[in-house]
Amino acid sequence: MVAGASIAGPALAHWLHRRGAEVTVVERAPELRPGGQAVDARGVTKEVIRRMGLDATIRAACTDTAGAHTVDADGNVLETFRVEDDGGDGYIADIEILRGDLAQVLYDDTRDGVEYLFGDRITELTQDADGVDVTFEGGDRRRFDLVIGADGLHSALRSMVFGPREQYVRHLGLVLAFYSVPNEFGLDRWLLDYQDSGRSAMLRPIQDATRAMAMFSFPSADFDVDYRDIEAQKRLLRERMGDFGWLTKDILAHLGGTPDFYLDQVAQVVMDRWSSVRVGLFGDAAFSSSPMSGQGTGLALVGAYLLAGELAAAGWDVEAGFAAYEARMRPFVEANQEIGRLHAHSLTNPAPKPEPGAEPEVEWDFELIDRAINGVELPDYAGVPDSGPSIGAPVTS
């Protein structure tokens, strides 16, 4: 059984089903959540998408962003990044899709072969050497061979089995907010990004040309707003960004009526182990690298392929499968978490502006970036059961 039906959960369900497992996914929300921030697929993640048989479907749902302009307070372009930079693995990836749209693709791909339970959650579980007994909020009691928590940064399953969130969640000193607004700003395939003194405001195009996605970030040493209290979050955003320049006032004017507001701390999850007997953690619940890494979706999709593959290759010996999965995945996770920490630090401690004509200092370790994008092997898992993709044949990217 998998807890969580955003991206990580359905992606894992895809591969577990293909490896021959019967899969149940439970999601506390009554339905899939639409919208959300744009997420990217880079490097080795593109190969996982190809092996899933979803390359064409995901690309058809992409934002179709051409690139990004960094601008000053008056809207003058300072720097330009294009989608074709770095082979499509740069600042704007050639596979860029709204989180909700990717979740919909993964759900549509798996719903015929996977049991989904919406509007429910795990309230209690006990495990032994042979299985896990689960009690649901709705009253049902069922037994599963293993349970995987893919329920995000604030994972309830992690707290239930491994201990309180304070043991594992590391705040990186930033708060991130985003929501959709009417596209009254003339966006046409180009993202606009304004930054000043550690704060930033961004507008990005989406497939619906009548709307745009707004995103804000600001430094905050502490974060004590309940992630479920939307009105308190909106008040915080107005307090911290109300005096910011550029188009911020016009963007905040739409805050009250937006249908998909999200605000949370920028944080990572750091754990010594991701499993306990027959309960495992996966995705942000186990190893959030934060949005500052740009690789949260990559970790989820790559991790889903490896976790299901190693469990099946071990003949569903969960101890051996979890151990092999973690050995393959942890260096990839650590590289991406380092990228996330570096990026967050650069935003919370911005360098002074260089003198006119001076060359900017190069701060990024390009070998680390390559390890964060491509630094994990994808075994073929020859001899492991594979029922094949449910939507067409793999499409070469």
Side-chain angles (χ1 to χ4, degrees):
M1 194 204 72
V2 179
S6 181
I7 291 175
L12 181 59
H14 169 102
W15 287 109
L16 289 173
H17 176 68
R18 280 179 60 169
R19 301 306 183 196
E22 295 182 7
V23 187
T24 296
V25 178
V26 62
E27 167 57 52
R28 66 182 302 165
E31 58 188 2
L32 295 177
R33 291 181 293 115
Q37 70 187 101
V39 297
D40 304 287
R42 298 181 174 89
V44 70
T45 306
K46 297 178 185 178
E47 173 61 16
V48 172
I49 290 172
R50 187 194 69 82
R51 296 186 188 188
M52 295 177 84
L54 295 176
D55 187 276
T57 306
I58 288 175
R59 287 180 182 273
C62 280
T63 61
D64 193 31
T65 303
H69 298 305
T70 60
V71 299
D72 64 17
D74 297 319
N76 300 309
V77 175
L78 303 175
E79 194 171 6
T80 295
F81 303 89
R82 291 175 172 81
V83 71
E84 59 266 24
D85 293 347
D86 301 309
D89 288 338
Y91 176 51
I92 301 296
D94 65 344
I95 296 183
E96 181 187 74
I97 181 172
L98 295 185
R99 184 210 57 78
D101 292 344
L102 179 56
Q104 187 69 55
V105 168
L106 295 172
Y107 171 69
D108 289 344
D109 171 66
T110 54
R111 61 183 177 182
D112 290 340
V114 171
E115 178 188 24
Y116 280 88
L117 306 175
F118 285 98
D120 210 343
R121 65 186 181 95
I122 299 172
T123 56
E124 184 180 347
L125 62 78
T126 56
Q127 57 176 322
D128 53 43
D130 300 317
V132 186
D133 293 309
V134 172
T135 301
F136 294 95
E137 186 176 49
D140 286 349
R141 292 183 174 86
R142 295 171 63 176
R143 185 170 175 83
F144 299 93
D145 291 326
L146 69 158
V147 173
I148 306 293
D151 49 345
L153 178 68
H154 303 288
S155 171
L157 189 67
R158 184 184 62 229
S159 297
M160 194 179 301
V161 177
F162 295 85
R165 69 185 300 278
E166 291 77 17
Q167 293 183 22
Y168 308 110
V169 176
R170 307 286 188 267
H171 180 46
L172 297 186
L174 280 173
V175 173
L176 182 70
F178 51 85
Y179 56 95
S180 62
V181 297
N183 185 11
E184 60 186 35
F185 309 97
L187 293 189
D188 182 17
R189 301 187 65 218
W190 286 88
L191 178 151
L192 302 177
D193 183 11
Y194 171 61
Q195 301 185 22
D196 186 45
S197 303
R199 294 186 292 176
S200 71
M202 181 186 298
L203 283 168
R204 64 162 64 246
I206 59 178
Q207 275 205 335
D208 180 359
T210 68
R211 297 191 67 77
M213 188 64 64
M215 185 165 75
F216 294 102
S217 71
F218 56 87
S220 177
D222 299 310
F223 184 78
D224 57 3
V225 177
D226 187 339
Y227 71 93
R228 294 161 296 192
D229 189 340
I230 301 300
E231 290 308 312
Q233 294 169 14
K234 290 181 177 180
R235 286 195 299 271
L236 176 65
L237 182 60
R238 290 190 180 99
E239 290 169 3
R240 297 299 181 90
M241 299 300 297
D243 64 343
F244 202 47
W246 188 50
L247 300 172
T248 300
K249 181 179 179 181
D250 295 329
I251 299 170
L252 289 175
H254 297 288
L255 186 57
T258 187
D260 50 10
F261 178 80
Y262 171 93
L263 180 145
D264 205 350
Q265 66 185 129
V266 173
Q268 295 183 339
V269 174
V270 180
M271 304 184 71
D272 292 333
R273 58 191 176 93
W274 301 330
S275 63
S276 174
V277 192
R278 288 182 170 269
V279 177
L281 296 174
F282 167 68
D284 281 354
F287 43 70
S288 168
S289 58
S290 87
M292 295 300 103
S293 74
Q295 278 284 96
T297 297
L299 291 177
L301 296 182
V302 171
Y305 178 82
L306 293 175
L307 178 53
E310 294 299 333
L311 286 169
W316 302 101
D317 178 327
V318 293
E319 182 178 2
F322 279 143
Y325 158 70
E326 184 163 336
R328 289 190 182 277
M329 191 69 184
R330 188 170 284 277
F332 189 49
V333 167
E334 290 175 347
N336 279 285
Q337 289 189 328
E338 180 63 16
I339 292 288
R341 288 191 291 269
L342 286 171
H343 191 187
H345 180 78
S346 73
L347 293 176
T348 56
N349 300 274
K353 294 181 180 179
E355 294 295 328
E359 290 291 329
E361 295 183 9
V362 178
E363 299 181 356
W364 291 101
D365 179 343
F366 292 104
E367 187 273 335
L368 172 64
I369 293 173
D370 185 63
R371 285 193 289 116
I373 295 174
N374 296 302
V376 64
E377 179 189 1
L378 298 178
D380 290 335
Y381 293 118
V384 172
D386 187 353
S387 63
S390 59
I391 299 180
V395 178
T396 302
S397 63

